[in-house]
Amino acid sequence: MLNLKFADGLIPVIVQDARSKDVLMMAYANEEAVRLTQQTGFAHYYSRSRKKLWKKGEESGHFQKVMRVLADCDEDCLIYEVEQTGAACHTGYDSCFYRTLEGTVIGTKVFDPGKVYGKKGH
Amino acid sequence: MLNLKFADGLIPVIVQDARSKDVLMMAYANEEAVRLTQQTGFAHYYSRSRKKLWKKGEESGHFQKVMRVLADCDEDCLIYEVEQTGAACHTGYDSCFYRTLEGTVIGTKVFDPGKVYGKKGH
């Protein structure tokens, strides 16, 4: 097991679709979130705004089954390789990275967020 | 142009190989680094440890030609889609993410860092 470095208790996590290799989202995990991800096989994160641990999909049903976790050379960043149910982004796009820097939409909308979430949130 | 959010002046950047879709590295950019990346077409970052702007490859020759820049829904994370010369990781591996969380090496070593760098560093 690598010796992960957490900055202020958190490590950034890049979430990649295991099949298409699309980058779906970026989030943060604390030690407990990494441990729960390994133990359960489903992606867990730590929300900096809500200051709480969360399991992706707990509200939307859009869970992420984690196939493999990779760490980088400095052991301060992770990749979760996942099988995504539904879509990763709370906006309804398949990936959070659905726009170029110029604002051109390049992603695909796969659900209506108003029908999935009671209120705005991942 | 999207209105990017910089936290303490920085935005995380996920670097993805435009062809293979492998995630190569994660780094940070400040506003100037994003601007220079757009103006020159080559990846620029901001080093938190060295506290300076850097152009990927300035020491190693392993430049990253940036084909497209994507932003996420919250406009607080970027993807640089790149054509990588040489390898992304200062360890000589093609990607910084060359190990699983358990420490198993899954990446490919493509250069000898002792021959490329005068001293350790990206």
Side-chain angles (χ1 to χ4, degrees), chain B residues 32-45:
Chain B
E32 188 184 3
V34 174
R35 187 172 48 74
L36 283 170
T37 298
Q38 289 185 284
Q39 284 178 355
T40 66
F42 285 91
H44 288 71
Y45 304 99

Side-chain angles (χ1 to χ4, degrees), chain A residues 1-2 4 7 12 14-16 20-23 25-26 28 34 38 48 68-79 89-91 95-103 106 120 122, chain B residues 1-2 4 7 12 14-16 20-23 25-26 28 34 38 48 68-79 89-91 95-103 106 120 122:
Chain A
M1 184 69 76
L2 301 181
L4 297 182
I14 298 163
V15 187
Q16 186 174 30
S20 70
K21 301 185 81 172
D22 286 342
V23 174
M25 54 182 267
M26 205 279 269
Y28 292 87
V34 174
Q38 290 186 283
R48 296 177 301 169
R68 191 163 67 167
V69 179
L70 302 179
D72 77 342
C73 50
D74 297 327
E75 302 175 16
D76 61 2
C77 185
L78 297 176
I79 295 176
C89 189
H90 71 287
T91 59
S95 162
C96 293
F97 297 91
Y98 62 89
R99 289 172 301 179
T100 68
L101 194 50
E102 292 75 29
I106 54 104
K120 186 175 177 257
H122 272 93
Chain B
M1 182 70 75
L2 300 181
L4 297 182
I14 299 163
V15 187
Q16 187 175 29
S20 71
K21 301 186 80 173
D22 285 342
V23 174
M25 53 185 267
M26 203 279 267
Y28 292 86
V34 174
Q38 289 185 284
R48 296 176 301 169
R68 191 165 66 168
V69 179
L70 302 180
D72 77 342
C73 50
D74 297 328
E75 302 177 16
D76 62 1
C77 184
L78 297 177
I79 295 176
C89 189
H90 71 287
T91 59
S95 162
C96 292
F97 297 91
Y98 62 90
R99 290 171 301 179
T100 67
L101 193 51
E102 292 75 28
I106 55 102
K120 184 176 178 259
H122 273 96

Side-chain angles (χ1 to χ4, degrees), chain A residues 6-119:
Chain A
F6 294 82
D8 296 327
L10 300 177
I11 191 166
V13 181
I14 298 163
V15 187
Q16 186 174 30
D17 189 289
R19 193 169 308 181
S20 70
K21 301 185 81 172
D22 286 342
V23 174
L24 299 176
M25 54 182 267
M26 205 279 269
Y28 292 87
N30 60 4
E31 279 201 75
E32 189 184 2
V34 174
R35 185 173 50 74
L36 283 170
T37 298
Q38 290 186 283
Q39 284 179 355
T40 66
F42 285 91
H44 288 72
Y45 305 99
Y46 183 86
S47 168
R48 296 177 301 169
S49 57
R50 289 180 286 156
K51 298 190 197 314
K52 66 185 280 282
L53 191 103
W54 60 292
K55 180 184 180 183
K56 173 70 181 170
E58 62 191 0
E59 190 180 355
S60 63
H62 296 165
F63 298 102
Q64 293 171 336
K65 189 175 177 188
V66 178
M67 313 308 286
R68 191 163 67 167
V69 179
L70 302 179
D72 77 342
C73 50
D74 297 327
E75 302 175 16
D76 61 2
C77 185
L78 297 176
I79 295 176
Y80 288 176
E81 293 178 343
V82 306
E83 283 184 4
Q84 174 75 58
T85 301
C89 189
H90 71 287
T91 59
Y93 285 94
D94 51 357
S95 162
C96 293
F97 297 91
Y98 62 89
R99 289 172 301 179
T100 68
L101 194 50
E102 292 75 29
T104 305
V105 173
I106 54 104
T108 306
K109 202 151 191 172
V110 294
F111 74 85
D112 176 353
K115 291 181 182 165
V116 169
Y117 294 99
K119 54 188 174 61

